[in-house]
Every structure is written in C-alpha cells, then in structure tokens.
Short mmCIF file of all heavy atoms in Angstrom, two decimals:
data_model
loop_
_atom_site.label_atom_id
_atom_site.label_comp_id
_atom_site.label_asym_id
_atom_site.label_seq_id
_atom_site.Cartn_x
_atom_site.Cartn_y
_atom_site.Cartn_z
N THR O 233 -3.12 -15.29 -9.12
CA THR O 233 -4.12 -15.40 -10.18
C THR O 233 -4.33 -14.09 -10.91
O THR O 233 -4.84 -14.10 -12.04
CB THR O 233 -5.46 -15.88 -9.58
OG1 THR O 233 -5.88 -14.93 -8.59
CG2 THR O 233 -5.28 -17.24 -8.93
N SER O 234 -3.95 -12.98 -10.30
CA SER O 234 -4.18 -11.66 -10.95
C SER O 234 -2.85 -10.96 -11.27
O SER O 234 -2.81 -9.73 -11.35
CB SER O 234 -5.00 -10.76 -10.00
OG SER O 234 -6.22 -11.38 -9.61
N LYS O 235 -1.81 -11.74 -11.46
CA LYS O 235 -0.49 -11.15 -11.68
C LYS O 235 -0.48 -10.22 -12.88
O LYS O 235 0.14 -9.17 -12.86
CB LYS O 235 0.55 -12.26 -11.86
CG LYS O 235 1.99 -11.77 -11.93
CD LYS O 235 2.97 -12.93 -12.07
CE LYS O 235 2.98 -13.78 -10.82
NZ LYS O 235 4.03 -14.81 -10.89
N GLY O 236 -1.14 -10.59 -13.97
CA GLY O 236 -1.15 -9.76 -15.18
C GLY O 236 -1.82 -8.43 -14.95
O GLY O 236 -1.32 -7.38 -15.37
N GLU O 237 -2.96 -8.43 -14.23
CA GLU O 237 -3.65 -7.16 -13.94
C GLU O 237 -2.79 -6.28 -13.02
O GLU O 237 -2.72 -5.09 -13.20
CB GLU O 237 -4.98 -7.44 -13.26
CG GLU O 237 -6.02 -8.14 -14.10
CD GLU O 237 -7.27 -8.39 -13.32
OE1 GLU O 237 -8.04 -7.42 -13.11
OE2 GLU O 237 -7.52 -9.54 -12.91
N LEU O 238 -2.19 -6.88 -12.02
CA LEU O 238 -1.48 -6.11 -11.01
C LEU O 238 -0.22 -5.46 -11.57
O LEU O 238 0.28 -4.49 -10.98
CB LEU O 238 -1.09 -7.03 -9.84
CG LEU O 238 -2.27 -7.49 -8.97
CD1 LEU O 238 -1.81 -8.57 -8.03
CD2 LEU O 238 -2.87 -6.33 -8.20
N ALA O 239 0.31 -5.97 -12.63
CA ALA O 239 1.61 -5.48 -13.17
C ALA O 239 1.55 -4.00 -13.48
O ALA O 239 2.55 -3.28 -13.33
CB ALA O 239 1.99 -6.27 -14.41
N SER O 240 0.41 -3.50 -13.90
CA SER O 240 0.30 -2.08 -14.27
C SER O 240 -0.35 -1.22 -13.21
O SER O 240 -0.62 -0.04 -13.43
CB SER O 240 -0.52 -1.95 -15.57
OG SER O 240 -1.82 -2.48 -15.41
N MET O 241 -0.62 -1.81 -12.03
CA MET O 241 -1.31 -1.07 -11.00
C MET O 241 -0.36 -0.59 -9.92
O MET O 241 0.61 -1.27 -9.56
CB MET O 241 -2.40 -1.97 -10.34
CG MET O 241 -3.52 -2.40 -11.29
SD MET O 241 -4.71 -3.44 -10.40
CE MET O 241 -5.87 -3.79 -11.76
N LYS O 242 -0.64 0.58 -9.34
CA LYS O 242 0.14 1.12 -8.24
C LYS O 242 -0.59 0.94 -6.90
O LYS O 242 0.05 0.86 -5.87
CB LYS O 242 0.41 2.60 -8.46
CG LYS O 242 1.40 2.88 -9.60
CD LYS O 242 1.74 4.34 -9.68
CE LYS O 242 2.80 4.61 -10.75
NZ LYS O 242 3.16 6.05 -10.83
N HIS O 243 -1.94 0.93 -6.96
CA HIS O 243 -2.69 0.73 -5.71
C HIS O 243 -3.87 -0.16 -6.04
O HIS O 243 -4.77 0.23 -6.76
CB HIS O 243 -3.18 2.08 -5.17
CG HIS O 243 -3.83 1.99 -3.83
ND1 HIS O 243 -4.92 2.78 -3.48
CD2 HIS O 243 -3.60 1.20 -2.77
CE1 HIS O 243 -5.30 2.47 -2.26
NE2 HIS O 243 -4.50 1.51 -1.82
N ALA O 244 -3.83 -1.39 -5.49
CA ALA O 244 -4.86 -2.36 -5.78
C ALA O 244 -5.22 -3.17 -4.55
O ALA O 244 -4.33 -3.44 -3.69
CB ALA O 244 -4.43 -3.29 -6.92
N VAL O 245 -6.47 -3.60 -4.44
CA VAL O 245 -6.91 -4.45 -3.35
C VAL O 245 -7.67 -5.63 -3.93
O VAL O 245 -8.16 -5.60 -5.09
CB VAL O 245 -7.82 -3.67 -2.34
CG1 VAL O 245 -7.09 -2.52 -1.72
CG2 VAL O 245 -9.08 -3.14 -3.06
N ASP O 246 -7.82 -6.69 -3.11
CA ASP O 246 -8.64 -7.81 -3.54
C ASP O 246 -10.07 -7.60 -3.01
O ASP O 246 -10.40 -6.58 -2.45
CB ASP O 246 -8.05 -9.15 -3.10
CG ASP O 246 -8.05 -9.30 -1.56
OD1 ASP O 246 -8.65 -8.45 -0.86
OD2 ASP O 246 -7.44 -10.29 -1.06
N ALA O 247 -10.92 -8.61 -3.18
CA ALA O 247 -12.34 -8.46 -2.84
C ALA O 247 -12.55 -8.22 -1.34
O ALA O 247 -13.53 -7.61 -0.95
CB ALA O 247 -13.11 -9.69 -3.30
N SER O 248 -11.65 -8.72 -0.48
CA SER O 248 -11.78 -8.56 0.94
C SER O 248 -11.23 -7.22 1.45
O SER O 248 -11.38 -6.92 2.64
CB SER O 248 -11.09 -9.71 1.68
OG SER O 248 -9.69 -9.61 1.52
N GLY O 249 -10.61 -6.46 0.57
CA GLY O 249 -9.99 -5.18 0.97
C GLY O 249 -8.52 -5.28 1.30
O GLY O 249 -7.92 -4.31 1.70
N ARG O 250 -7.94 -6.48 1.13
CA ARG O 250 -6.52 -6.68 1.40
C ARG O 250 -5.71 -5.97 0.31
O ARG O 250 -5.95 -6.17 -0.87
CB ARG O 250 -6.16 -8.15 1.46
CG ARG O 250 -4.71 -8.45 1.75
CD ARG O 250 -4.57 -9.94 2.10
NE ARG O 250 -4.93 -10.78 0.98
CZ ARG O 250 -4.04 -11.27 0.09
NH1 ARG O 250 -2.76 -10.97 0.23
NH2 ARG O 250 -4.45 -12.06 -0.87
N VAL O 251 -4.70 -5.21 0.73
CA VAL O 251 -3.88 -4.43 -0.22
C VAL O 251 -2.91 -5.38 -0.95
O VAL O 251 -2.13 -6.09 -0.31
CB VAL O 251 -3.09 -3.33 0.53
CG1 VAL O 251 -2.25 -2.54 -0.47
CG2 VAL O 251 -4.08 -2.39 1.22
N LEU O 252 -2.97 -5.35 -2.28
CA LEU O 252 -2.07 -6.16 -3.09
C LEU O 252 -0.95 -5.35 -3.70
O LEU O 252 0.11 -5.87 -4.05
CB LEU O 252 -2.87 -6.86 -4.22
CG LEU O 252 -4.02 -7.80 -3.74
CD1 LEU O 252 -4.64 -8.46 -4.95
CD2 LEU O 252 -3.52 -8.84 -2.76
N ARG O 253 -1.21 -4.05 -3.94
CA ARG O 253 -0.19 -3.12 -4.44
C ARG O 253 -0.36 -1.80 -3.69
O ARG O 253 -1.47 -1.33 -3.47
CB ARG O 253 -0.36 -2.88 -5.95
CG ARG O 253 0.03 -4.04 -6.80
CD ARG O 253 1.55 -4.21 -6.83
NE ARG O 253 1.96 -5.25 -7.77
CZ ARG O 253 1.96 -6.55 -7.51
NH1 ARG O 253 1.55 -6.98 -6.34
NH2 ARG O 253 2.39 -7.42 -8.44
N ASP O 254 0.81 -1.22 -3.31
CA ASP O 254 0.75 0.04 -2.58
C ASP O 254 2.05 0.80 -2.88
O ASP O 254 2.94 0.87 -2.03
CB ASP O 254 0.60 -0.19 -1.08
CG ASP O 254 0.24 1.07 -0.32
OD1 ASP O 254 0.19 2.12 -0.96
OD2 ASP O 254 0.05 0.97 0.91
N ASN O 255 2.14 1.32 -4.06
CA ASN O 255 3.38 2.02 -4.51
C ASN O 255 3.07 3.41 -5.02
O ASN O 255 3.52 3.81 -6.09
CB ASN O 255 4.07 1.19 -5.57
CG ASN O 255 4.65 -0.09 -4.99
OD1 ASN O 255 5.47 -0.07 -4.10
ND2 ASN O 255 4.20 -1.23 -5.51
N VAL O 256 2.29 4.15 -4.24
CA VAL O 256 1.99 5.55 -4.55
C VAL O 256 2.75 6.42 -3.56
O VAL O 256 2.56 6.31 -2.35
CB VAL O 256 0.48 5.84 -4.46
CG1 VAL O 256 0.18 7.29 -4.84
CG2 VAL O 256 -0.31 4.89 -5.34
N TRP O 257 3.64 7.26 -4.09
CA TRP O 257 4.50 8.06 -3.21
C TRP O 257 3.80 9.30 -2.70
O TRP O 257 2.92 9.87 -3.37
CB TRP O 257 5.81 8.45 -3.94
CG TRP O 257 6.36 7.36 -4.78
CD1 TRP O 257 6.79 7.45 -6.10
CD2 TRP O 257 6.64 5.98 -4.41
NE1 TRP O 257 7.27 6.24 -6.52
CE2 TRP O 257 7.19 5.33 -5.54
CE3 TRP O 257 6.42 5.25 -3.23
CZ2 TRP O 257 7.55 3.98 -5.51
CZ3 TRP O 257 6.80 3.91 -3.19
CH2 TRP O 257 7.34 3.31 -4.33
N GLY O 258 4.15 9.74 -1.47
CA GLY O 258 3.49 10.88 -0.89
C GLY O 258 4.37 11.57 0.14
O GLY O 258 5.54 11.24 0.29
N PRO O 259 3.80 12.48 0.92
CA PRO O 259 4.59 13.24 1.93
C PRO O 259 4.80 12.41 3.19
O PRO O 259 4.16 11.37 3.42
CB PRO O 259 3.69 14.45 2.21
CG PRO O 259 2.29 13.94 1.92
CD PRO O 259 2.42 13.02 0.78
N GLN O 260 5.71 12.89 4.03
CA GLN O 260 6.09 12.15 5.25
C GLN O 260 4.90 11.96 6.17
O GLN O 260 4.75 10.87 6.78
CB GLN O 260 7.21 12.91 5.95
CG GLN O 260 7.74 12.15 7.16
CD GLN O 260 8.79 12.98 7.93
OE1 GLN O 260 8.54 14.13 8.24
NE2 GLN O 260 9.93 12.38 8.20
N GLU O 261 4.04 12.95 6.33
CA GLU O 261 2.92 12.84 7.27
C GLU O 261 1.98 11.70 6.87
O GLU O 261 1.40 11.01 7.72
CB GLU O 261 2.14 14.15 7.35
CG GLU O 261 1.49 14.59 6.05
CD GLU O 261 0.70 15.89 6.20
OE1 GLU O 261 0.79 16.51 7.27
OE2 GLU O 261 0.01 16.26 5.23
N GLU O 262 1.78 11.48 5.55
CA GLU O 262 0.95 10.37 5.10
C GLU O 262 1.67 9.04 5.27
O GLU O 262 1.03 8.02 5.58
CB GLU O 262 0.53 10.60 3.66
CG GLU O 262 -0.36 11.81 3.46
CD GLU O 262 -0.91 11.91 2.06
OE1 GLU O 262 -0.97 10.87 1.36
OE2 GLU O 262 -1.33 13.03 1.65
N ASP O 263 2.97 9.04 5.07
CA ASP O 263 3.76 7.84 5.32
C ASP O 263 3.66 7.38 6.76
O ASP O 263 3.52 6.18 7.04
CB ASP O 263 5.21 8.10 4.92
CG ASP O 263 6.06 6.83 5.02
OD1 ASP O 263 5.98 5.96 4.14
OD2 ASP O 263 6.85 6.72 5.99
N ALA O 264 3.68 8.32 7.66
CA ALA O 264 3.58 8.00 9.12
C ALA O 264 2.23 7.37 9.41
O ALA O 264 2.12 6.42 10.19
CB ALA O 264 3.81 9.25 9.93
N ALA O 265 1.15 7.89 8.81
CA ALA O 265 -0.20 7.37 9.07
C ALA O 265 -0.35 5.98 8.52
O ALA O 265 -1.20 5.20 9.02
CB ALA O 265 -1.25 8.30 8.44
N ARG O 266 0.41 5.60 7.56
CA ARG O 266 0.35 4.24 6.97
C ARG O 266 1.01 3.19 7.81
O ARG O 266 0.78 1.98 7.66
CB ARG O 266 1.02 4.24 5.58
CG ARG O 266 0.26 4.94 4.49
CD ARG O 266 0.97 4.72 3.18
NE ARG O 266 1.01 3.29 2.84
CZ ARG O 266 2.04 2.49 3.11
NH1 ARG O 266 3.10 2.96 3.73
NH2 ARG O 266 2.00 1.23 2.79
N ARG O 267 1.90 3.60 8.72
CA ARG O 267 2.67 2.62 9.51
C ARG O 267 1.80 1.97 10.57
O ARG O 267 0.77 2.54 10.98
CB ARG O 267 3.90 3.26 10.12
CG ARG O 267 4.85 3.76 9.00
CD ARG O 267 6.17 4.29 9.48
NE ARG O 267 7.00 4.64 8.31
CZ ARG O 267 7.84 3.79 7.74
NH1 ARG O 267 8.00 2.60 8.22
NH2 ARG O 267 8.51 4.19 6.66
N ASP O 268 2.22 0.81 11.07
CA ASP O 268 1.34 -0.01 11.91
C ASP O 268 1.14 0.60 13.30
O ASP O 268 0.02 0.85 13.73
CB ASP O 268 1.95 -1.42 12.06
CG ASP O 268 1.97 -2.13 10.74
OD1 ASP O 268 1.29 -1.69 9.80
OD2 ASP O 268 2.66 -3.15 10.64
N PHE O 269 2.23 0.77 14.02
CA PHE O 269 2.18 1.14 15.43
C PHE O 269 2.82 2.46 15.70
O PHE O 269 3.78 2.84 15.06
CB PHE O 269 2.82 0.08 16.31
CG PHE O 269 2.24 -1.30 16.09
CD1 PHE O 269 2.88 -2.22 15.25
CD2 PHE O 269 1.04 -1.67 16.67
CE1 PHE O 269 2.33 -3.50 15.01
CE2 PHE O 269 0.50 -2.92 16.46
CZ PHE O 269 1.14 -3.85 15.62
N THR O 270 2.31 3.19 16.68
CA THR O 270 2.79 4.53 16.97
C THR O 270 4.30 4.49 17.34
O THR O 270 5.02 5.43 16.94
CB THR O 270 2.02 5.14 18.14
OG1 THR O 270 2.13 4.29 19.29
CG2 THR O 270 0.55 5.29 17.78
N VAL O 271 4.74 3.46 18.04
CA VAL O 271 6.14 3.44 18.47
C VAL O 271 7.06 3.06 17.31
O VAL O 271 8.31 3.16 17.43
CB VAL O 271 6.36 2.44 19.62
CG1 VAL O 271 5.68 2.93 20.87
CG2 VAL O 271 5.92 1.03 19.23
N ASN O 272 6.46 2.69 16.16
CA ASN O 272 7.27 2.38 14.95
C ASN O 272 7.10 3.45 13.87
O ASN O 272 7.51 3.24 12.72
CB ASN O 272 6.87 1.01 14.38
CG ASN O 272 7.29 -0.13 15.28
OD1 ASN O 272 8.13 0.05 16.16
ND2 ASN O 272 6.67 -1.27 15.08
N ALA O 273 6.47 4.56 14.21
CA ALA O 273 6.15 5.55 13.20
C ALA O 273 6.88 6.87 13.47
O ALA O 273 6.36 7.95 13.16
CB ALA O 273 4.63 5.80 13.18
#
C-alpha cells in the first residue's frame, strides 16, 4: 500500500516499528550489531 512512498526511502518503518527499508551503508561494526544472532555475526 505504500510502494510509492517507499521507492525514494532508504530507511523506513511502518506504524508498528517493522522495518520496510534498510539500505543505509555503514562500517563493519554497525553491520555486525544489525545481525540477528551472535554465532551468525
């Protein structure tokens, strides 16, 4: 329903806080913090 809005966004969430866009590049240490589990990071 929000495809048009999301097209120009790099980081967006819906009303519940669920991430709909997450395409902001950063350093490795931040990338590790974003991963789910310690054994996969």
Side-chain angles (χ1 to χ4, degrees):
T233 60
S234 305
K235 187 178 293 185
E237 294 179 75
L238 291 169
S240 60
M241 296 180 180
K242 291 186 175 181
H243 187 216
V245 298
D246 66 9
S248 68
R250 181 167 63 96
V251 179
L252 302 181
R253 288 289 186 275
D254 192 357
N255 291 302
V256 182
W257 319 130
Q260 186 186 48
E261 63 178 8
E262 295 188 20
D263 184 75
R266 288 185 61 265
R267 297 185 177 271
D268 296 345
F269 304 99
T270 59
V271 293
N272 292 343

